Amino acid sequence: MSNKKSLQTKVKNLIEKKFRVKKSKKKKIYSSENIEGWDSLGHMLLIQEIEKNFKISINPKDIFILQSEKSIYKYLDKKLKN
C-alpha cells in the first residue's frame, strides 16, 4: 500500500471511529455535511484525535478548513512532508 493510500485509509478510519459510522451509513467521502454528529464539538474532538494520532499540532487558523475527509487528507499530506 502506498503512503498516500495508507494516509487516506487512516483518515477515513479515524473519522469512522470518531463518529461511530455504521456499516450501513458508510460513504465514499466523508464531510461535516454527511456525518451525523459532526457538529462544532464533534469537529474539535476530531481535530484533537488527528493531532494525537499523527503527533502534530494543528494551527488554530487551519482548524476550520478541515471540514471533510478530503481536506484533512490534503492538509496532513502537506504537513507530514515538512
Side-chain angles (χ1 to χ4, degrees):
M1 189 182 290
S2 74
N3 284 345
K4 281 190 172 203
K5 196 68 168 169
S6 176
L7 182 59
Q8 288 172 325
T9 302
K10 284 180 183 178
V11 169
K12 185 178 266 316
N13 290 340
L14 192 64
I15 291 169
E16 289 175 347
K17 183 181 172 190
K18 188 79 215 150
F19 295 109
R20 296 185 175 115
V21 177
K22 292 180 174 68
K23 283 188 180 187
S24 63
K25 302 265 185 185
K26 290 195 176 188
K27 306 249 185 258
K28 196 168 187 173
I29 304 263
Y30 294 117
S31 76
S32 58
E33 300 292 314
N34 65 16
I35 295 283
E36 198 174 312
W38 192 331
D39 54 15
S40 56
L41 177 59
H43 185 68
M44 293 310 295
L45 294 172
L46 177 62
I47 296 297
Q48 284 181 323
E49 204 63 32
I50 292 167
E51 288 179 323
K52 186 172 93 179
N53 277 269
F54 293 98
K55 296 174 178 53
I56 61 167
S57 180
I58 297 174
N59 188 318
K61 69 178 176 60
D62 294 331
I63 289 173
F64 298 103
I65 63 166
L66 304 176
Q67 296 288 327
S68 69
E69 173 186 344
K70 195 173 186 176
S71 63
I72 293 167
Y73 164 73
K74 282 182 180 180
Y75 179 84
L76 289 173
D77 188 46
K78 194 192 257 182
K79 180 122 176 141
L80 296 173
K81 284 181 181 174
N82 295 336

